[in-house]
Amino acid sequence: MRSKIVKRSVVISGHNTSVTLEEGFWEALKEIADDRGTTPTQLIAAIDRDRSLNNLSSAIRVFVLENIRKE
């Protein structure tokens, strides 16, 4: 089964950027943000600050995967 790919605009450090993720990753990111008492945009900004990967979408996917593995 194919997951719908969704492109969303977010503001990181005052700059607009777009992030393209599969719908399931957006849902998981929102759940993680809710669990941490923050917003998805704030969580994306933190991922962006700490990432070692060049691609933000990839960094978000790895972040979500690592969080799921911890559960």
Side-chain angles (χ1 to χ4, degrees):
M1 177 185 343
R2 291 175 44 145
S3 178
K4 181 179 175 188
I5 297 180
V6 180
K7 185 179 218 177
R8 296 194 177 148
S9 294
V10 294
V11 178
I12 300 174
S13 300
H15 296 81
N16 289 329
T17 190
S18 60
V19 178
T20 304
L21 295 171
E22 294 77 7
E23 193 170 330
F25 281 101
W26 283 117
E27 292 169 5
L29 187 68
K30 183 177 182 335
E31 290 174 14
I32 295 167
D34 288 345
D35 289 346
R36 294 180 177 203
T38 191
T39 67
T41 299
Q42 291 170 326
L43 189 54
I44 290 170
I47 294 167
D48 184 52
R49 277 191 309 272
D50 298 338
R51 69 182 161 136
S52 59
L53 299 170
N54 288 333
N55 183 285
L56 180 57
S57 294
S58 294
I60 294 169
R61 286 185 190 96
V62 169
F63 174 84
V64 168
L65 179 62
E66 288 174 348
N67 275 271
I68 289 171
R69 287 184 170 168
K70 289 179 185 177
E71 294 179 357

